[in-house]
Amino acid sequence: MSITTVGLDADDTLWHNETIFRLTQDRFVTLLAEHADHATLMARLAETEKRNLRLYGYGVKGFTLSMIETAMELTGGEAPAAVVREILAAGREMLAHPVETLPGVDQALAELSESYRLVLITKGDLLDQERKLAASGLGDLFAAIEIVSEKDRQTYDRVFARHGTGADEAVMAGNSMKSDVLPALAAGAWAVHIPYFITWAHEVAEAPASHKRYGALSNICELPGWIAARC
Amino acid sequence: MSITTVGLDADDTLWHNETIFRLTQDRFVTLLAEHADHATLMARLAETEKRNLRLYGYGVKGFTLSMIETAMELTGGEAPAAVVREILAAGREMLAHPVETLPGVDQALAELSESYRLVLITKGDLLDQERKLAASGLGDLFAAIEIVSEKDRQTYDRVFARHGTGADEAVMAGNSMKSDVLPALAAGAWAVHIPYFITWAHEVAEAPASHKRYGALSNICELPGWIAARC
């Protein structure tokens, strides 16, 4: 069984993302500090995000709208205009934030692209993800880009059929057990978990430690060697 | 030269969309009526949208954020919380709005799908467009769905190469001269303009009346006949 295709997640696998969300959350908590304590603010924001996920999906714009909505709820519907303005500005800054690739990414992808077809498979906002890929300078290494609204078994089936030689001969690598690893294994692909130092609460899941197509790495620079060892 | 593939725009080609934006704009104007006159409100909102297009792209979430930002600007940064809450609610209602297909669409697409590969090619928000397609009940008629951040010549080149037999043997149909017709013709495809009764200001462009691959129809039910006549 040879591996022909490597699927790669983007946010927190190739570049920093969650840290930027966390910084903005901290700013949100500071802005509303007089209305509720830290734990309440975080819990209410997470509730609003979860409730809105079906309508807004993933990404900065939905997160910004959810922050404004939470601010309204926590102030009895009377959030000061200055708070709303600050949240709007924070959202715009997130979208304009420079893209910083994670250590080892450039080297690992350059090496992988010599032997395999690389496919970027990511959730999130279409325009924002395209912008980040362009800013990362990694775009030319990918044979295909798939920005999807959900990462489930069907998604990996479809993407690896379209851009490769099927899930059976593909490996998916990413920082989310729930979105990158488990559904890719379910589709019959190999899957590698490369954790980021923080994980969004919605993305936590248990490792399929005993699955024979599963691998756990601590850094993306180990990925070319891991794949080569499967062949 | 035979046509094998039919690209179709979604918003205002298959279902109502711009009317929902207009209704929300009217609501926005009413909300802020004491702060500026109708023309000023519309002009400032259009300015904000245009300024934010690079960051927010197309879709309801970016439009909602731009409405809040415009409300702040027009009130000297002090928009009443009630106004912000109303705008948030309007955005959520737009996203949850039922999808109403345009007259003749179901019949025309059923007929076309018997002879051609249908590809949905649309800008806008990934999740929102997927939701609308699912709600329209038209999803099964399409061989492929492409939700793109920009509709330029390269987009049509790529999409018709990936899902069909190249732009040369494809026709693109939509309500926007600027996004659906002109770049598809530039890519070497056929292109058909089917106007909606209102057009977003950013999408206005002149008809390429003398182009021999261009057609102008008044209703989508004329599309199967028009295509058949090219063969």
Side-chain angles (χ1 to χ4, degrees):
Chain A
M1 184 59 55
S2 64
I3 290 174
T4 64
T5 310
V6 179
L8 289 144
D9 172 55
D11 290 339
D12 299 327
T13 298
L14 303 184
W15 50 66
H16 291 286
N17 182 63
E18 188 63 25
T19 37
I20 303 162
F21 275 83
R22 297 288 167 113
L23 286 171
T24 306
Q25 263 181 9
D26 291 346
R27 204 165 150 184
F28 175 80
V29 166
T30 307
L31 269 174
L32 290 167
E34 62 185 89
H35 297 280
D37 60 44
H38 187 281
T40 306
L41 286 164
M42 295 292 279
R44 294 295 292 273
L45 178 57
E47 256 173 53
T48 313
E49 276 192 271
K50 195 172 171 191
R51 186 175 67 228
N52 286 336
L53 204 53
R54 192 186 50 84
L55 274 185
Y56 292 161
Y58 301 90
V60 173
K61 288 178 291 185
F63 178 61
T64 308
L65 290 165
S66 288
M67 283 193 290
I68 298 174
E69 189 176 327
T70 309
M72 286 295 166
E73 286 178 6
L74 286 165
T75 55
E78 293 300 331
V83 167
V84 176
R85 290 201 313 271
E86 275 282 321
I87 295 173
L88 279 179
R92 281 196 305 268
E93 283 166 34
M94 285 177 83
L95 289 170
H97 198 278
V99 173
E100 197 188 336
T101 54
L102 289 164
V105 162
D106 301 66
Q107 170 67 29
L109 263 59
E111 194 178 333
L112 288 167
S113 71
E114 285 173 18
S115 308
Y116 309 100
R117 197 180 289 108
L118 304 192
V119 183
L120 189 82
I121 309 173
T122 175
K123 286 190 289 199
D125 196 81
L126 190 58
L127 187 72
D128 190 33
Q129 293 295 41
E130 290 183 351
R131 184 194 65 80
K132 286 193 277 192
L133 180 62
S136 74
L138 299 167
D140 289 344
L141 298 174
F142 288 96
I145 316 296
E146 284 282 345
I147 298 166
V148 299
S149 62
E150 202 48 74
K151 281 178 162 179
D152 51 22
R153 183 195 162 140
Q154 287 73 26
T155 305
Y156 291 107
D157 268 336
R158 178 170 48 81
V159 169
F160 288 130
R162 177 187 288 177
H163 299 296
T165 51
D168 196 40
E169 301 186 334
V171 55
M172 177 67 196
N175 72 300
S176 169
M177 205 61 89
K178 192 172 161 190
S179 296
D180 301 316
V181 170
L182 298 179
L185 288 175
W190 302 81
V192 171
H193 187 228
I194 308 172
Y196 190 62
F197 73 99
I198 44 176
T199 300
W200 192 33
H202 295 279
E203 296 290 351
V204 173
E206 210 168 319
S210 64
H211 197 295
K212 57 183 197 265
R213 287 191 157 219
Y214 170 69
L217 304 180
S218 59
N219 190 297
I220 197 166
C221 64
E222 302 163 12
L223 187 59
W226 188 90
I227 297 175
R230 297 316 104 186
C231 299
Chain B
M1 184 58 56
S2 64
I3 289 174
T4 64
T5 310
V6 179
L8 288 145
D9 172 54
D11 291 338
D12 299 327
T13 298
L14 303 184
W15 50 68
H16 292 284
N17 181 63
E18 187 63 23
T19 36
I20 302 162
F21 275 83
R22 297 290 166 113
L23 286 171
T24 306
Q25 261 180 11
D26 290 348
R27 203 164 149 186
F28 174 80
V29 165
T30 307
L31 270 174
L32 290 167
E34 61 186 88
H35 297 282
D37 60 46
H38 188 281
T40 305
L41 286 164
M42 296 292 280
R44 293 296 291 275
L45 178 58
E47 253 178 63
T48 314
E49 277 192 271
K50 196 172 169 189
R51 187 174 65 225
N52 286 336
L53 204 54
R54 190 184 51 83
L55 275 184
Y56 292 160
Y58 301 90
V60 173
K61 288 178 292 184
F63 180 61
T64 308
L65 289 167
S66 288
M67 282 193 290
I68 298 175
E69 188 177 329
T70 309
M72 286 294 166
E73 286 179 6
L74 286 165
T75 56
E78 295 298 332
V83 166
V84 176
R85 289 200 315 269
E86 274 283 322
I87 294 173
L88 279 179
R92 280 195 306 267
E93 282 166 35
M94 286 178 82
L95 288 170
H97 198 278
V99 173
E100 197 188 337
T101 53
L102 289 164
V105 162
D106 302 63
Q107 170 67 29
L109 262 59
E111 193 177 336
L112 288 168
S113 70
E114 285 172 18
S115 309
Y116 309 100
R117 195 179 292 110
L118 304 192
V119 183
L120 188 81
I121 309 173
T122 174
K123 284 190 292 198
D125 196 80
L126 191 58
L127 186 74
D128 190 35
Q129 293 294 43
E130 289 183 351
R131 183 193 66 81
K132 287 193 276 190
L133 180 63
S136 74
L138 299 168
D140 289 344
L141 298 173
F142 287 96
I145 317 296
E146 285 281 347
I147 299 165
V148 298
S149 61
E150 201 49 75
K151 282 178 161 178
D152 50 22
R153 182 197 162 140
Q154 286 74 28
T155 305
Y156 290 107
D157 267 336
R158 178 169 47 83
V159 169
F160 288 130
R162 176 187 290 176
H163 300 295
T165 51
D168 195 40
E169 299 186 337
V171 56
M172 177 67 198
N175 72 301
S176 168
M177 205 61 90
K178 193 172 161 191
S179 296
D180 301 316
V181 171
L182 298 179
L185 289 175
W190 302 82
V192 171
H193 188 230
I194 307 171
Y196 190 63
F197 72 100
I198 43 176
T199 300
W200 192 34
H202 296 279
E203 296 290 350
V204 174
E206 210 168 318
S210 63
H211 196 296
K212 55 185 198 281
R213 287 191 155 218
Y214 169 70
L217 303 180
S218 60
N219 190 297
I220 198 165
C221 65
E222 303 162 14
L223 187 59
W226 189 89
I227 296 175
R230 297 315 105 185
C231 299

